[in-house]
Amino acid sequence: MANRPVEIRPALGLALFIAALILGSAAMLLLRAESWRLAPADWSALRFTVLQAALSSLVSATLAIPLARALHRRRFRGRSLLTRLLAAPFVLPVVVAVLGILAVFGRSGPVNAALAALGLPPLSIFGLHGVVLANVFFNLPLATRMLLHGWQAIPAERFRLAAALSMPQSAQFRHLELPMLRAQMPGILTTIFLICLASFAIALTLGGGPKASTLELAIYQALRFDFDLGRAALLALIQFALCAGVTIAAARLSLRQGFGAGLDRAAPLPAPDGWRAPLDAAVITAAVLFLGAPLLAVIAQGLPGLTHLPPGLWQAALRSLVVALVSALLATVAALTLAQAAARRPALWIDLAAMLPLSASGLVLGTGLFLMLHRFVPPAQMALPVTMLVNATLTLPYLYRLILPEARQVVADYDRLTQSLGLPAVSALRFVILPRLSRPLGYGAGIAAALSMGDLGVIALIADGNGATLPLLVQHLIGAYRMEQAAAASLVLIGLSFGLFWMFDRIGGWNADA
Amino acid sequence: MDFSIPDHFRRTMERLMKRHLLAAGLLTIATSALAETPVLTVLTYDSFTSEWGPGPAIKAGFEETCGCTVNFVTAGDGAAVLARLKLEGATTDADVVVGLDTNLTADAAPLFAPIAATPNTLPVPFADARFVPFDWGWFAFVYDNTKLTTPPKSFEELAASNLKIVIEDPRSSTPGLGLLMWVKAAYGSRAPQIWADLADNIVTVTPGWSEAYGMFLQGEADMVLSYTTSPAYHLIAEKDASKSAALFDEGHYLQVEVAGKVASTDQPALADAFLTYLTSDAAQTALITTNWMYPANMPAAGLPAGFETLIQPGKSLLLTADEAQSLRAPAIEEWQTALSK
């Protein structure tokens, strides 16, 4: 019982599978390529990609600190509703969200109307700042939620002790919160940086022109228009290298937090009053406005069309739901396996395997799998299974990042106890691990399911023509000028994504033994 | 000590997946058993087969007479269709491909078989040994005529104005590429200058037509690159006459959508029959109000009411497939340089 070498094996197998899947798909492209050359414009695309991703992750993570802190220490009506709704931007399909952001910050939106009323010049959303703003809209909620988990993982006893010792806020921050932030921030910054690295539609739509070209766009162009497989594969390899570099750097920078185990009960915290109370209220209000307004715009645009939904909507919705549920299940099991292994025996290879999918282009992955499989399986039959597999792979890193910090905590706090009790692995998982991880697990599974609902990068190349998924249907409707129906179908899509997310998050909440 | 829950989950998953594969296998057997009638596999872009697209009517119409089953296989858009065909290479099941445009045909030609010529009523002479046109449209800038009363009459006037436009990226969308060819065909070596002058009018460049048109309808720009036929949709389907296309003196570039017979087809006769059907009155009529484009071979009944309100460019521009192919890379580079300043 003293050492548990066996547990590494499933994780090792999984890591190898992920590496084979992702590097293998790029290798398939290289094998079929006729030339291996980058275009001169690719280097400026690389620069812009890194710049916008770095700015976006920095801004998102920085803004998340006061927001998560305020949400953690304040109790108000609707707080739990708000923390759930926080995820909504993250699960929106990009095309829909961009139109929502434009409705608020665009030329005819309320922000510019207010500026005009004050006699100020209009603000253009297009440019690097627009790209960062949209990325922050998507990722601030994720960063906040990750930090919130971090704050919740600090045992309440420590805060009570600090209060009993009359520790000033600054000392409490230095001794309790700063170590937590130092443990969490590298992971959060890395995750958001890597998410923004692969963004394509946001940067292009809001970037204002070809200056704002990203690597993902170059891949898209190479695969779709130029059919230059070699260039696409090289670009994919550059993305992998970036991802690996950033993940390794983050692993070096991460410090472990060591608060020890508390009584493992959530208890209301002593919250500072005085000027800090209205400040927290202002932070929360600003976040609600920033994240809520584009959402409201999307909902308002979708409502009129709900009375005449397009034909085929519910079949598409059902197809998307099945894809989302299976993808979420696969991703959750995989992430739990990897995170448990990494928590017991920290290893760079596990981190790398779990983060690698973030840098993978859905298009390269889909194309690579297509090249591997099309001789054996008719494309029409592989569309849905391949989509599920790719979605599960692409959402794995989010789950892993969400679970890992708390998995480490559980191992640090309870592993010796579990072992000294000789608790069998099943019981340990059931009574020790799952209850303590259920909050991030539920949240992560919800995110994975919702992202899989919204994802359409993969299916575009291999769809079978017999059945569209819901995001594809939205795309078709816009393509056929049916904007009102498209808006209504988007609303259904958002409702379902969010419903799935809500369901998983609630399940996680119920099982949390706190 | 075994880490048994994930294993357990995995076993369950494996069982589920086995079941799925089994079901897929049974399905294959079932469909091949039923497939005594020949199957014609048509590879096309996916909006072609949507319920409001031309696909369903064309499938039903052709199946009435062919004694066969039409099976649509789809990819995202014209460019994705070609990419898919190249990926599959000789192993492709596709017999017919529907939905390439003349900017892609030079690239695609080696994969297609020669076909008999069919008559067409395109505004420019058009003949291709391998591809038959099935619909076409003029690219144009669409605007809201309740907000803009004197639209620009040329690219130069547009560049000199304060109007804001949204365009598509030539690297990721066929209309974007069409605009690039339009400027090139109209201005030749002056194209970089036109782009540089247009730079301050361009609000943003979108990955595809959908994003651009959506932004225009939402009021982010005064004009959007689309087709002269776009106002017809608003007029006929929505009874909304507020959209117009601006008539440019230098002429309008054409997008010609074509279909062809895949060289490796095992149903050459059916493929020929399908291409002939595609240019027949029935199919051509169906295309007008599903694709919102002009028919390549004008049906006897003519155009539906509402189309007479559309602008009629005096001059049509179209580069040959070979010109388009050789101009694409340098034109994209010119465009990128001009707009990156």
Side-chain angles (χ1 to χ4, degrees), chain A residues 102-190:
Chain A
L102 282 175
V104 174
F105 297 96
R107 197 170 76 156
S108 351
V111 171
N112 273 320
L115 286 176
L118 294 173
L120 295 169
L123 189 88
S124 169
I125 177 85
F126 299 102
L128 180 60
H129 57 285
V131 176
V132 173
L133 182 116
N135 278 329
V136 171
F137 173 78
F138 277 107
N139 294 306
L140 174 63
L142 182 71
T144 307
R145 189 64 183 241
M146 285 171 143
L147 275 181
L148 204 52
H149 286 308
W151 249 295
Q152 282 163 347
I154 304 177
E157 289 81 0
R158 304 299 176 274
F159 282 107
R160 284 177 194 290
L161 183 64
L165 292 172
S166 313
M167 239 188 216
Q169 281 293 307
S170 57
Q172 181 183 313
F173 182 76
R174 204 164 53 243
H175 294 295
L176 292 180
E177 297 171 301
L178 198 58
M180 183 279 292
L181 287 176
R182 292 202 51 186
Q184 295 272 352
M185 283 304 251
I188 294 175
L189 284 169
T190 320

Side-chain angles (χ1 to χ4, degrees), chain B residues 21-45:
Chain B
L21 281 180
L22 188 68
L26 285 177
L27 202 69
T28 321
I29 296 166
T31 41
S32 50
L34 283 174
E36 280 152 13
T37 48
V39 174
L40 182 75
T41 305
V42 178
L43 175 61
T44 183
Y45 49 83

Side-chain angles (χ1 to χ4, degrees), chain A residues 121-486:
Chain A
L123 189 88
S124 169
I125 177 85
F126 299 102
L128 180 60
H129 57 285
V131 176
V132 173
L133 182 116
N135 278 329
V136 171
F137 173 78
F138 277 107
N139 294 306
L140 174 63
L142 182 71
T144 307
R145 189 64 183 241
M146 285 171 143
L147 275 181
L148 204 52
H149 286 308
W151 249 295
Q152 282 163 347
I154 304 177
E157 289 81 0
R158 304 299 176 274
F159 282 107
R160 284 177 194 290
L161 183 64
L165 292 172
S166 313
M167 239 188 216
Q169 281 293 307
S170 57
Q172 181 183 313
F173 182 76
R174 204 164 53 243
H175 294 295
L176 292 180
E177 297 171 301
L178 198 58
M180 183 279 292
L181 287 176
R182 292 202 51 186
Q184 295 272 352
M185 283 304 251
I188 294 175
L189 284 169
T190 320
T191 308
I192 298 179
F193 177 82
L194 293 176
I195 293 173
C196 300
L197 209 57
S199 95
F200 150 52
I202 297 178
L204 192 57
T205 314
L206 295 175
K211 270 175 297 194
S213 298
T214 59
L215 284 178
E216 190 71 15
L217 171 76
I219 291 179
Y220 191 85
Q221 180 195 4
L223 272 182
R224 296 271 298 264
F225 263 78
D226 302 342
F227 202 69
D228 189 343
L229 296 178
R231 183 172 154 231
L234 284 181
L235 289 164
L237 290 177
I238 292 179
Q239 280 198 349
F240 296 148
L242 262 177
C243 170
V246 170
T247 308
I248 291 169
R252 291 258 162 86
L253 287 174
S254 286
L255 293 181
R256 293 300 156 73
Q257 59 196 79
F259 293 117
L263 284 176
D264 195 27
R265 282 288 175 277
L269 296 170
D273 38 23
W275 58 273
R276 288 190 180 87
L279 185 69
D280 282 354
V283 166
I284 293 172
T285 313
V288 167
L289 281 177
F290 172 62
L291 300 173
L295 269 178
L296 278 182
V298 169
I299 293 171
Q301 284 169 350
L303 285 176
L306 282 184
T307 50
H308 45 279
L309 288 169
L313 178 100
W314 297 112
Q315 292 93 306
L318 186 67
R319 209 167 286 120
S320 287
L321 275 175
V322 171
V323 169
L325 285 170
V326 177
S327 310
L329 187 66
L330 286 173
T332 309
V333 174
L336 186 62
T337 311
L338 288 177
Q340 280 294 308
R344 292 240 154 66
R345 193 188 291 180
L348 196 55
W349 60 263
I350 303 182
D351 267 7
L352 282 176
M355 296 307 272
L356 191 61
L358 266 192
S359 70
S361 145
L363 204 59
V364 170
L365 206 53
T367 310
L369 278 172
F370 184 88
L371 281 173
M372 284 181 221
L373 296 175
H374 79 277
R375 276 165 214 275
F376 314 108
V377 191
Q381 277 165 32
M382 73 188 179
L384 285 190
V386 165
T387 308
M388 289 171 188
L389 183 63
V390 172
N391 282 349
T393 313
L394 293 179
T395 51
L396 168 68
Y398 303 96
L399 267 153
Y400 178 77
R401 273 295 160 205
L402 282 162
I403 302 170
L404 184 62
E406 292 177 52
R408 279 191 185 137
Q409 202 72 42
V410 173
V411 167
D413 298 348
Y414 297 96
D415 221 25
R416 269 176 306 175
L417 180 66
T418 317
Q419 290 191 25
S420 67
L421 287 175
L423 219 54
V426 187
S427 316
L429 192 75
R430 168 73 189 84
F431 296 109
V432 182
I433 297 166
L434 283 182
R436 267 150 209 90
L437 292 186
S438 75
R439 233 189 326 232
L441 264 181
Y443 184 74
I447 292 262
L451 283 177
S452 306
M453 281 289 294
D455 184 22
L456 78 161
V458 192
I459 203 154
L461 195 68
I462 51 173
D464 51 12
N466 304 317
T469 54
L470 199 45
L472 217 51
L473 185 81
V474 171
Q475 201 85 321
H476 292 175
L477 284 165
I478 304 180
Y481 296 95
R482 303 183 174 221
M483 300 292 168
E484 202 178 77
Q485 287 189 331

Side-chain angles (χ1 to χ4, degrees), chain B residues 1 27 81 89 91 122 147 165 200 204 207 242 274 286 288 312 316:
Chain B
M1 193 63 246
L27 202 69
V81 164
T91 65
L122 260 52
K147 293 179 188 155
I165 59 172
D200 61 346
T204 199
S242 69
F274 184 82
I288 303 172
Q312 290 295 319
S316 297

